[in-house]
Amino acid sequence: MIQRIQSIYLLVAGIISGGLPFLFSLWSNSQTNIVYVLDLLPGNSILEKSVPVLFFISALVAIVTIFLFKNRQLQFVLNRLNILINLFLLGLLIYLSQTLSGEASVSEKGIGMFFPIVVILLLVLANRAIKKDEDLVKSVDRLR
């Protein structure tokens, strides 16, 4: 059932969460230090190290959820878990961008900071489509 609309939403969410943060920058300082997701792995704090891991987990959960089309309830629950992961990731990115060294000087936020928001929107749309499928199956079962 890869042709369902929620599968497309989940695939796009997986691509955005798993691939695009490694290509686009998160922020750049006035000293022209452009920070990508992989630049945070050798960081000092556990918070910096957890950002790329959370992006990878979010992508993995979205891709695995595509193949759980026979169990719509589990698919729905995993999408909600993925939404929580992305909300935590968004909060973590906002916290890290506000506590940058040299924040007194001007820094620019990159497009990578907005990826969790887009992924959350796609997951909400996928959950809505899963619920619509579940309601359709329940209505057909009543007719039997």
Side-chain angles (χ1 to χ4, degrees):
M1 290 294 225
I2 303 296
Q3 70 270 16
R4 297 183 314 161
I5 189 70
Q6 60 262 33
S7 299
I8 295 171
Y9 290 144
L10 290 170
L11 181 66
V12 172
I15 290 171
I16 289 174
S17 190
L20 294 183
F22 300 101
L23 300 176
F24 294 100
S25 67
L26 293 176
W27 58 78
S28 63
N29 292 343
S30 62
Q31 299 119 355
T32 66
N33 293 339
I34 298 174
V35 178
Y36 292 98
V37 172
L38 290 179
D39 296 337
L40 296 175
L41 267 178
N44 296 332
S45 70
I46 191 78
L47 294 177
E48 290 178 359
K49 292 179 182 180
S50 65
V51 170
V53 173
L54 286 173
F55 270 119
F56 180 73
I57 289 172
S58 173
L60 187 67
V61 170
I63 298 299
V64 165
T65 307
I66 293 172
F67 299 105
L68 296 174
F69 57 87
K70 291 183 181 179
N71 192 351
R72 286 177 296 279
Q73 290 298 99
L74 181 62
Q75 203 176 27
F76 193 77
V77 169
L78 284 178
N79 274 344
R80 285 193 175 183
L81 176 71
N82 204 354
I83 289 171
L84 290 175
I85 290 170
N86 279 292
L87 282 173
F88 180 72
L89 181 61
L90 181 64
L92 187 63
L93 285 173
I94 290 171
Y95 173 75
L96 286 175
S97 70
Q98 295 300 317
T99 59
L100 289 174
S101 60
E103 185 61 32
S105 61
V106 178
S107 68
E108 294 180 12
K109 310 306 184 259
I111 191 136
M113 296 282 290
F114 299 108
F115 287 150
I117 296 171
V118 174
V119 171
I120 289 170
L121 290 174
L122 287 169
L123 292 171
V124 166
L125 289 172
N127 268 355
R128 186 176 292 167
I130 291 168
K131 182 155 177 35
K132 192 183 296 184
D133 275 359
E134 186 68 25
D135 291 343
L136 180 67
V137 168
K138 284 182 182 178
S139 71
V140 170
D141 283 344
R142 273 184 273 159
L143 293 175
R144 285 189 200 177

